[in-house]
Amino acid sequence: MFRPIRVIHVDDRPEYGEIVTAYLAEHDEPFTVVTKTTPNAALETLAEEPFDCLVTDYEMPEMDGLELLSVVQRRYPDLPVILLTAKGNESIASDAIAAGVTDYIPKDDLTESPAVLAKRITNAVERQAYSRQFETLVETLPGVVYRTRETPEWDTEFVGGNCESLIGYPADALVAGEVTWGSDIIHPDDRAAVREAVDSQLEDGDTFELTYRIVTADGDEKWVNEHGQQVAIEDGEGIFEGFITDVTALKENERRLAQYSDTLEGLQRTTRRLLEATTPEAAAEIVVDGLESAFAFDTAGVWLATDDQLEPIAQTERGQSLIDEPPTYSPDTESLSWTAFEEGATKRITTMADYPDRANTETPISSELIVPLGEYALINIGSTEPDAFSEADAERVQLWADTVTEAFARIDQLQRLKAREDELTRQRDRLDQFASVVSHDLRNPINVASGRLKLAADDCDSDQLDVIDRALTRMEELIDDALLLARQGQTVGETEPVALADLVSQCWGTVATADATIEADCDVTFQADPSRLADVFENLFRNAVEHGDENASITVATTDDGFYIADDGSGIPEDKREQIFETGYSTNRDGTGFGLAIVREIIEAHGWEISVGDSETGGARFDITGVAFE
């Protein structure tokens, strides 16, 4: 011990107090002894000062040692009491033990072995300290410790810890048999399984562990985990000691994790199916199928946003029996669904009774989750029971909604692209038809004129005939370029990965470049129509050579979001840079003015942009931007 053990000694003979003090002084353990000659004086001192142990004589005039023991137990239940008697008396010893005395020592034993008293006091104080530590530990445990017998009702001999907070009954009720663990606490549906599990585990050893449900005094259901061990057999019955903890929160977390796992698995399956959907209606049917398999509710449906209203497009089978004709929502009629859609926020309706102004006052739905899917749609999930959806349910549904929203956004984009493609196709067909008609109407008189020119050449020899021939040839070139612009400029075919360096090399080899040189630093790949893009490079290479000199130097290189073609020619005046892309504009008297117009149409058909500026050498530089590299 780190401090002296404080002992209060009671004996009606003062000289014996000196003897006890002397006995204890001989021991290695430090003691502080206060001697009182009457029990009442001792009780007064106990009320004023703390002591670790009471040593009392048995025979005293005011009250004997057992009577003093009774008073001390009531007032100071944790104080160890050692009883001393003049001589050994089995009857007194028996009564003292029955009364709960800590220890009993005949004075004759002290005469023969004085160290006995110090040892008994030290043991009593240490046991009491350990007992207090154990009680403190048990009281702070998140459950209960027990000692019980292997009977049909699991008769309980001891319960410690937070018994009442766990089961709602005090520990005394279990010990007294007023409440039994087997019949009153274990959940009725688990009793047989608990008994069977314990018996099964004890066949292979003397310990067991299991998790089961209990019912508290208030009727609440909890989950507990029990660790037990058979420590003895008395009167043919097994004696068990163990520990029971509340694992309700853990089981709830396991349940939620299982739900989230199911949600994710269902979402993965649904997502794979949604990738195949090309219309909102098909996507909505997939969504309600997925919701019905992943969640427990009475009805669910999807409403599609069209022309300032929400129209029902899909409903679960369970919901069809509750709501024959789902309503259409719009800003003209007040409704919870339209409000949630406009606000773009999920609403958890615990009870419809809180919303007397709702759109359908006759609805069988009592609680609801309303989940907007961005600007595209809305999901309604309903139950006929009030407060059927928890915050965790709302989170799980929102997880679905985020993914489904992306699916609807993808479908919307696909439909927009399809509409654009259809429009471009119709435009191309109209242009092709127009170009064919114009080509036919223009070529007929040109052909007639060409035939007459040949006849005229046979009849006479005139320089004017050559001028006419060149004019007719020029008209045919104009018609060919116009057809090329109309038929190929505005659309691109199927795209594929294009290696820019390879394409540049290919196009350079097909253009008459004289002594011009090219430097290409463009090792990138992107999606494009290689045939149409080749027209762009061939046209720009040809222009650079034709408008420069025979030794022109051309550079092709990449930028952060595209590439450029630059030359070292005379450049393009700033005030002419917009005009050059206009149909019919040309600075070459023999040019058609269609070349750069076709280039721009092809670039824009790819979704890119083209602009012109000065190169580092003062020539022209064409920048193509908006390209997504792979």
Side-chain angles (χ1 to χ4, degrees):
M1 305 272 302
F2 294 97
R3 62 175 179 79
I5 297 175
R6 289 178 53 79
V7 179
I8 182 168
H9 173 232
V10 187
D11 198 302
D12 58 334
R13 292 179 299 170
E15 67 276 11
Y16 202 77
E18 297 175 1
I19 295 173
V20 168
T21 302
Y23 286 164
L24 296 179
E26 296 176 0
H27 199 267
D28 293 337
E29 196 79 44
F31 291 92
T32 298
V33 182
V34 176
T35 300
K36 297 297 177 180
T37 56
T38 67
N40 287 327
L43 291 172
E44 290 176 3
T45 303
L46 284 172
E48 297 172 355
E49 303 176 46
F51 288 89
D52 298 311
C53 185
L54 169 64
V55 178
T56 179
D57 190 22
Y58 173 71
E59 294 179 355
M60 292 178 292
E62 291 182 6
M63 64 176 74
D64 62 29
L66 293 182
E67 291 172 334
L68 177 60
L69 171 66
S70 178
V71 176
V72 170
Q73 287 177 329
R74 291 195 304 272
R75 297 182 184 180
Y76 315 103
D78 294 334
L79 183 65
V81 178
I82 296 177
L83 184 65
L84 302 179
T85 62
K87 58 182 179 179
N89 187 313
E90 293 298 330
S91 176
I92 294 175
S94 178
D95 292 342
I97 293 172
V101 73
T102 306
D103 210 338
Y104 166 83
I105 307 174
K107 289 181 178 180
D108 291 345
D109 293 352
L110 296 180
T111 303
E112 298 174 1
S113 180
V116 169
L117 179 59
K119 185 175 182 180
R120 299 285 185 89
I121 292 174
T122 301
N123 290 343
V125 171
E126 289 181 349
R127 284 199 303 270
Q128 185 59 37
Y130 293 150
S131 178
R132 282 195 296 268
Q133 292 173 2
F134 175 74
E135 289 176 359
T136 300
L137 175 63
V138 168
E139 289 173 359
T140 57
L141 288 173
V144 298
V145 292
Y146 67 85
R147 180 182 175 89
T148 187
R149 286 183 172 272
E150 188 181 12
T151 64
E153 299 299 332
W154 302 93
D155 293 337
T156 305
E157 297 182 346
F158 167 78
V159 176
N162 297 312
C163 181
E164 194 159 358
S165 66
L166 177 64
I167 64 175
Y169 297 102
D172 294 345
L174 279 173
V175 175
E178 299 170 6
V179 178
T180 62
W181 195 265
S183 297
D184 300 311
I185 306 302
I186 299 178
H187 193 286
D189 295 341
D190 291 357
R191 289 170 190 165
V194 168
R195 171 66 72 172
E196 181 179 345
V198 171
D199 292 343
S200 175
Q201 293 183 49
L202 289 177
E203 289 179 359
D204 300 324
D206 55 5
T207 62
F208 62 88
E209 178 189 356
L210 65 161
T211 300
Y212 55 91
R213 291 171 295 172
I214 63 171
V215 180
T216 69
D218 295 331
D220 296 332
E221 185 177 300
K222 292 183 178 181
W223 282 91
V224 296
N225 179 259
E226 179 177 355
H227 290 258
Q229 180 175 12
Q230 182 173 310
V231 296
I233 297 178
E234 296 179 1
D235 301 328
E237 295 175 342
I239 305 299
F240 294 91
E241 293 178 353
F243 181 64
I244 299 174
T245 53
D246 185 351
V247 294
T248 304
L250 178 62
K251 294 295 287 187
E252 177 62 19
N253 288 337
E254 290 177 353
R255 184 187 68 83
R256 289 184 179 181
L257 286 174
Q259 285 183 333
Y260 269 100
S261 178
D262 292 343
T263 299
L264 292 175
E265 289 180 4
L267 186 55
Q268 288 176 344
R269 292 191 297 269
T270 301
T271 301
R272 287 193 292 268
R273 295 181 61 196
L274 283 173
L275 291 175
E276 301 174 359
T278 57
T279 66
E281 291 77 11
E285 290 293 343
I286 293 171
V287 170
V288 295
D289 287 346
L291 287 172
E292 197 160 27
S293 63
F295 297 92
F297 48 76
D298 293 314
T299 181
V302 177
W303 276 252
L304 184 66
T306 57
D307 300 327
D308 290 332
Q309 64 181 14
L310 293 169
E311 296 182 357
I313 57 172
Q315 187 179 19
T316 58
E317 292 184 6
R318 292 198 298 264
Q320 292 174 6
S321 61
L322 288 173
I323 304 173
D324 292 335
E325 297 183 5
T328 296
Y329 302 113
S330 72
D332 299 332
T333 303
E334 185 175 351
S335 65
L336 298 173
S337 294
W338 184 261
T339 300
F341 179 72
E342 279 194 323
E343 295 176 353
T346 297
K347 282 187 176 293
R348 184 168 68 97
I349 310 300
T350 57
T351 173
M352 287 295 184
D354 293 339
Y355 300 88
D357 297 330
R358 60 187 181 275
N360 182 10
T361 56
E362 303 299 325
T363 179
I365 303 303
S366 294
S367 57
E368 192 171 31
L369 282 175
I370 306 174
V371 188
L373 303 177
E375 62 185 86
Y376 310 105
L378 176 134
I379 296 175
N380 270 342
I381 301 176
S383 172
T384 56
E385 298 295 327
D387 200 15
F389 303 104
S390 64
E391 287 289 349
D393 293 330
E395 292 175 3
R396 292 169 58 216
V397 173
Q398 187 62 53
L399 185 63
W400 268 66
D402 293 341
T403 301
V404 173
T405 300
E406 292 299 322
F408 272 93
R410 181 188 65 82
I411 292 172
D412 180 70
Q413 184 180 31
L414 286 176
Q415 290 187 322
R416 290 176 184 272
L417 290 174
K418 182 65 166 58
R420 181 169 177 264
E421 181 181 346
D422 291 344
E423 176 60 29
L424 289 175
T425 299
R426 288 192 295 270
Q427 185 181 40
R428 183 195 63 195
D429 292 343
R430 288 195 300 269
L431 286 172
D432 186 58
Q433 182 180 11
F434 171 75
S436 297
V437 171
V438 171
S439 173
H440 179 270
D441 291 348
L442 289 177
R443 288 188 191 278
N444 279 342
I446 290 175
N447 290 334
V448 172
S450 296
R452 294 293 183 179
L453 181 62
K454 290 180 180 179
L455 294 175
D458 292 339
D459 293 339
C460 64
D461 184 13
S462 172
D463 293 339
Q464 299 300 320
L465 296 179
D466 291 337
V467 174
I468 296 172
D469 185 53
R470 287 197 298 273
L472 291 175
T473 301
R474 179 64 177 153
M475 291 179 66
E476 289 183 348
E477 291 175 351
L478 287 171
I479 293 172
D480 290 340
D481 284 347
L483 286 175
L484 178 65
L485 174 65
R487 289 173 173 168
Q488 298 182 346
Q490 292 192 348
T491 61
V492 297
E494 185 175 350
T495 63
E496 61 184 67
V498 172
L500 184 56
D502 293 343
L503 183 66
V504 169
S505 176
Q506 171 191 326
C507 294
W508 185 254
T510 61
V511 175
T513 56
D515 293 329
T517 60
I518 186 169
E519 179 180 350
D521 182 14
C522 50
D523 189 16
V524 294
T525 302
F526 49 85
Q527 290 288 327
D529 180 336
S531 175
R532 299 280 67 75
L533 192 57
D535 292 338
V536 170
F537 280 101
E538 290 170 0
N539 196 305
L540 293 177
F541 290 163
R542 191 179 300 110
N543 278 352
V545 173
E546 292 176 354
H547 292 277
D549 56 41
E550 294 182 351
N551 298 317
S553 176
I554 299 171
T555 300
V556 180
T558 58
T559 60
D560 290 341
D561 65 339
F563 52 89
Y564 68 86
I565 300 95
D567 62 49
D568 60 352
S570 57
I572 299 172
E574 189 172 351
D575 60 345
K576 301 294 185 181
R577 292 174 183 174
E578 288 298 323
Q579 290 179 265
I580 62 172
F581 293 110
E582 295 177 1
T583 303
Y585 179 84
S586 177
T587 58
N588 187 338
R589 58 182 300 220
D590 293 327
T592 64
F594 288 109
L596 289 179
I598 294 174
V599 166
R600 182 176 65 177
E601 294 291 349
I602 294 174
I603 292 299
E604 292 180 350
H606 277 83
W608 308 332
E609 294 181 359
I610 185 170
S611 60
V612 63
D614 293 329
S615 69
E616 293 181 355
T617 57
R621 168 170 163 163
F622 291 87
D623 275 88
I624 291 83
T625 57
V627 182
F629 297 134
E630 295 185 345

